[in-house]
Amino acid sequence: MAIFEGAGVALVTPFTESGEVNYPKLTELLEEQIAGGTDAIISCGTTGESSTMSHEEHIQVIRHTCQVVNGRIPVIAGTGSNCTREAIHLSMEAEKAGADGLLLVTPYYNKGTQKGLMAHYRAVAQSVSIPILLYHIPGRTGVTMTPETIVTLCREVPNIVGVKEASGNFSAIATMMHMAEGCVDLYSGNDDQITPLLAMGGKGVISVLSNVAPRQTHDICQAFFGGDPKRSLELQLKAIPLVSQLFCEVNPIPVKAALNLMGRQTGPLRLPLTEMEPAHQETLAAAMREYGIL
């Protein structure tokens, strides 16, 4: 059984003006997401600015998220690292904190061969018992996993169950799904490609868009699962202008700006991320108004 089906939100981490994690605001965001129909919470992913968190902050945000959600929907913790020992440590702590699953980005910078990637993932998987999603995002990591690598890991490692695909390479994804014969749970990692990947057998999306439009993102998936792919496509296409603006600067700069425009007060970003350019804020606000969320 898949960890979840539908729209999981890659949740932002709210900060105070002094740059500390704002736990009361995080609680508010989690409650709003659950009320809005989000199907899963992804904590401490790229959108959550995990790369600028200390280990203690990282684990505490996951722990707090699990406590607030309290089993109402699955919590998937981002625990990837380019250091295998660090990924193992974070993964074990996330399991102790109550996470239902893990999201593990490919090791970046030091990279690794396909053999090295498989050894890395096997080592992390052996350290925990909860299910794991691989995270394939070559544009950020500089690492490409081949379809063969992904399928081999999902077929041979019992608790590696699927992949968040953000490569945008439809041909490679189609090849992977052909090879998988049902052993890979596929999730879109790109908000402009939800319906196409559902058509390839996907289980849903791990979404930035869901931060500002949880119900609408959920409905893209549910329309497809409910037997109305035409409606799913209509909802997908309607979201394209907003999705484009949510990625006009590096994520999560625009989505935090969008939430602040909506009055959510998610606070500043941590360097090296900086506040959104004023001209981009204007086009983002216009897209939000057109979409009906501002």
Side-chain angles (χ1 to χ4, degrees):
M1 180 180 293
I3 303 174
F4 77 97
E5 291 189 354
V9 61
L11 194 68
V12 303
T13 301
F15 296 125
T16 65
E17 289 304 314
S18 61
E20 303 302 313
V21 176
N22 187 335
Y23 287 102
K25 182 58 62 176
L26 177 57
T27 298
E28 289 180 23
L29 293 177
L30 289 165
E31 293 295 348
E32 288 175 0
Q33 285 293 320
I34 293 171
T38 289
D39 299 293
I41 303 292
I42 292 75
S43 176
C44 292
T46 305
T47 310
E49 297 181 72
S50 59
S51 59
T52 62
M53 289 183 184
S54 69
H55 286 179
E56 292 75 18
E57 285 177 319
H58 196 134
I59 294 163
Q60 182 54 33
V61 169
I62 293 168
R63 185 180 295 118
H64 182 87
T65 297
C66 292
Q67 289 171 348
V68 172
V69 174
N70 195 26
R72 288 177 286 174
I73 57 176
V75 173
I76 300 170
T79 55
S81 173
N82 65 335
C83 172
T84 304
R85 287 184 296 176
E86 182 176 314
I88 288 171
H89 171 68
L90 290 173
S91 297
M92 292 174 67
E93 291 297 321
E95 183 174 35
K96 290 178 189 176
D100 299 285
L102 305 174
L103 180 65
L104 297 176
V105 71
T106 51
Y108 41 87
Y109 189 69
N110 51 358
K111 298 186 177 182
T113 63
Q114 297 301 302
K115 178 181 177 181
L117 295 175
M118 286 198 280
H120 168 84
Y121 280 120
R122 288 179 190 273
V124 179
Q126 288 169 3
S127 73
V128 295
S129 60
I130 54 179
I132 290 169
L133 297 177
L134 312 175
Y135 184 12
H136 187 210
I137 182 164
R140 275 194 184 263
T141 64
V143 176
T144 297
M145 281 195 292
T146 66
E148 291 83 2
T149 293
I150 296 169
V151 172
T152 298
L153 286 167
C154 290
R155 183 171 287 143
E156 296 183 359
V157 184
N159 59 329
I160 296 181
V161 299
V163 62
K164 176 185 176 183
E165 254 295 347
S167 68
N169 187 337
F170 286 101
S171 295
I173 295 168
T175 298
M176 176 188 71
M177 294 303 282
H178 166 73
M179 295 172 59
E181 298 179 328
C183 76
V184 176
D185 291 341
L186 171 66
Y187 296 89
S188 176
N190 294 323
D191 283 311
D192 58 351
Q193 299 171 1
I194 303 170
T195 302
L197 264 64
L198 294 178
M200 290 191 194
K203 300 290 186 182
V205 60
I206 294 176
S207 170
V208 174
L209 175 65
S210 284
N211 280 279
V212 296
R215 179 65 63 184
Q216 295 92 325
T217 314
H218 166 88
D219 287 349
I220 293 172
C221 298
Q222 287 309 120
F224 191 94
F225 296 145
D228 194 349
K230 182 178 179 181
R231 177 60 177 162
S232 177
L233 179 59
E234 289 172 352
L235 294 171
Q236 170 76 92
L237 295 179
K238 180 181 178 182
I240 293 298
L242 176 56
V243 171
S244 177
Q245 290 304 311
L246 287 174
F247 290 90
C248 69
E249 292 187 26
V250 67
N251 178 51
I253 291 173
V255 72
K256 264 199 158 176
L259 284 164
N260 289 333
L261 285 169
M262 296 171 75
R264 296 299 191 271
Q265 298 176 333
T266 57
L269 300 128
R270 284 183 173 175
L271 289 171
L273 300 184
T274 53
E275 297 305 312
M276 196 175 194
E277 294 295 330
H280 289 161
Q281 287 207 34
E282 291 179 12
T283 55
L284 171 63
M288 293 170 69
R289 286 192 290 269
E290 181 183 351
Y291 196 64
I293 59 172
L294 187 64

